[in-house]
Amino acid sequence: MAVKWTGGHSSPVLCLNASKEGLLVSGAEGGDLTAWGEDGTPLGHMRFQGADDVTSVLFSPSRPAKLYASHGETISVLDVRSLKDSLDHFHVNEEEINCLSLNQTENLLASADDSGAIKILDLENKKVIRSLKRHSNICSSVAFRPQRPQSLVSCGLDMQVMLWSLQKARPLWITNLQEDETEEMEGTQSPGQLLNPALAHSISVASCGNIFSCGAEDGKVRIFRVMGVKCEQELGFKGHTLGVSQVCFLPESYLLLTGGNDGKIMLWDANSEVEKKQKSPTKRTHRKKPKRGTCTKQGGNTDASVTDEEEHGNILPKLNIEHGEKVNWLLGTKIKGHQNILVADQTSCISVYPLNEF
């Protein structure tokens, strides 16, 4: 059962983050930002002028009270201990920001927006050093790779996933999820039929920096491995009956949380599959055509604990939570020493699920 944190917002919560010191922050529609204690008590609240939705919040790992928040086209820098006025702000994006990412050395901040652009902000000199423009539609998610402060991955509603190096203005590698899917599903659907296009919503990089996941509108989760200047898809599996809105690797592991528009939250352990592929890199299986002759029905009443291994590409969920609300944001974090899943959805509450067995 989930514990509900209430009293911090009056509108749907859109994003969450936690610091190493146990501070938690949530952003909501209408410009609301709330800081929480570990017991779920609201500690502070502010509303940004203009009432633009707060779409992403990030803590500084080295200065846990320092917070970056995106609202509209603006990035504000705040002290979470005193949520009154911004310490600083940047207006470098031309359209609404969807996602922020800080590199490991904390000197660069990436902001992805509705125009498809990713702005790279030099925080020391307070200026944009790169404007990465290759997505042809909304850039929904961006993430710096741990241990590689000049490298990042992104995805967007153009169905493309990209690997970038800041030494270059163009991406090192691009894949189109829909084209890959069309190859895989050849012969199982009629030409021109596009029931659930693979619009890419969320990206998450594992702590090792070489493995990352992407969640898309077609209900699939794809896991990629970075191999120099290109990537290989290691796994593709489906557990959600609607779009995957969030993917989130737990720290220092290949345990992956996924949340969907179907109101489900799942935990997957990709470790054995990733290790297996690493030991035998020539045996790539993601291009194999499905053994069954029919597509999985979209939007069907799939049972909570799917056991068909073909459905998930030989990987089964370790945990399946029927949350019941469309998932806006997922966060795996320790609260009072115990691992928990924090969920933001279409309500004004934050749901907290214990993850004791992992």
Side-chain angles (χ1 to χ4, degrees):
M1 287 291 292
V3 174
K4 300 281 187 181
W5 290 3
T6 60
H9 297 285
S10 57
S11 55
V13 182
L14 300 177
C15 56
L16 300 165
N17 214 316
S19 74
K20 291 179 179 178
E21 309 295 313
L23 292 166
L24 294 114
V25 164
S26 56
E29 290 182 2
D32 267 1
L33 188 76
T34 299
W36 303 83
E38 287 188 312
D39 58 353
T41 305
L43 300 178
H45 174 267
M46 72 175 291
R47 177 168 290 175
F48 290 109
Q49 285 187 345
D52 288 314
D53 296 348
V54 181
T55 52
S56 188
V57 284
L58 271 185
F59 278 99
S60 160
S62 64
R63 295 175 60 191
K66 191 175 186 179
L67 181 76
Y68 300 91
S70 62
H71 49 105
E73 298 134 30
T74 304
I75 302 165
S76 291
V77 186
L78 305 149
D79 187 329
V80 75
R81 297 166 299 188
S82 178
L83 290 178
K84 293 178 181 177
D85 297 317
S86 300
L87 302 174
D88 206 348
H89 68 272
F90 304 99
H91 196 289
V92 296
N93 293 77
E94 294 168 12
E95 295 191 28
E96 184 179 37
I97 298 166
N98 299 306
C99 186
L100 297 175
S101 182
L102 194 62
N103 73 345
Q104 196 153 326
T105 49
E106 293 189 51
N107 63 318
L108 300 176
L109 181 71
S111 54
D113 68 26
D114 279 1
S115 75
I118 303 164
K119 303 289 185 178
I120 307 296
L121 185 64
D122 182 329
L123 294 171
E124 293 167 10
N125 298 311
K126 299 185 179 182
K127 66 178 184 180
V128 173
I129 60 162
R130 279 278 189 216
S131 184
L132 308 176
K133 295 182 178 179
R134 191 59 185 265
H135 286 286
S136 59
N137 203 326
I138 290 169
C139 183
S140 46
S141 190
V142 64
F144 274 104
R145 295 169 59 203
Q147 305 172 51
R148 293 155 187 84
Q150 294 285 312
S151 180
L152 61 159
V153 289
S154 65
C155 69
L157 301 195
D158 56 0
M159 300 186 279
Q160 297 198 105
V161 178
M162 303 184 189
L163 170 69
W164 303 85
S165 167
L166 295 184
Q167 274 80 34
K168 297 180 182 293
R170 293 185 174 191
L172 297 175
W173 170 88
I174 302 175
T175 190
N176 185 299
L177 300 183
Q178 195 64 48
E179 288 174 6
D180 292 348
E181 195 66 15
T182 302
E183 279 181 43
E184 253 180 57
M185 304 299 284
E186 185 184 343
T188 63
Q189 58 184 14
S190 57
Q193 185 182 20
L194 209 61
L195 292 176
N196 281 336
L199 312 176
H201 293 307
S202 177
I203 215 158
S204 177
V205 188
S207 299
C208 68
N210 284 327
I211 300 292
F212 68 93
S213 63
C214 178
E217 186 63 27
D218 59 0
K220 280 191 77 173
V221 177
R222 296 162 176 88
I223 295 182
F224 297 90
R225 182 189 299 278
V226 182
M227 304 178 75
V229 295
K230 63 174 186 172
C231 303
E232 293 264 3
Q233 185 176 317
E234 295 284 284
L235 277 171
F237 51 90
K238 186 171 181 178
H240 294 274
T241 55
L242 296 173
V244 181
S245 54
Q246 281 280 292
V247 290
C248 175
F249 274 111
L250 294 182
E252 308 301 330
S253 76
Y254 293 128
L255 289 170
L256 179 70
L257 287 170
T258 64
N261 296 337
D262 57 1
K264 291 181 181 178
I265 297 160
M266 298 185 183
L267 179 72
W268 309 83
D269 186 357
N271 184 64
S272 59
E273 291 294 320
V274 167
E275 292 298 322
K276 193 191 304 176
K277 298 286 173 64
Q278 196 164 15
K279 288 174 185 174
S280 55
T282 56
K283 296 181 181 178
R284 303 278 168 201
T285 58
H286 66 276
R287 287 292 184 211
K288 282 187 180 177
K289 293 178 186 177
K291 293 178 183 175
R292 290 176 293 177
T294 56
C295 277
T296 305
K297 289 180 181 177
Q298 301 297 329
N301 295 320
T302 308
D303 188 78
S305 53
V306 181
T307 54
D308 183 355
E309 289 200 3
E310 284 183 27
E311 177 76 3
H312 299 113
N314 297 323
I315 180 170
L316 299 174
K318 295 286 184 185
L319 186 67
N320 192 332
I321 299 169
E322 289 283 353
H323 180 65
E325 290 278 350
K326 174 183 177 290
V327 175
N328 289 334
W329 204 275
L330 274 180
L331 178 67
T333 190
K334 286 192 175 180
I335 298 175
K336 297 180 179 177
H338 298 286
Q339 191 71 45
N340 286 267
I341 306 170
L342 272 66
V343 187
D345 55 33
Q346 295 297 90
T347 71
S348 59
C349 307
I350 295 170
S351 299
V352 182
Y353 292 94
L355 205 53
N356 300 328
E357 61 269 41
F358 295 95

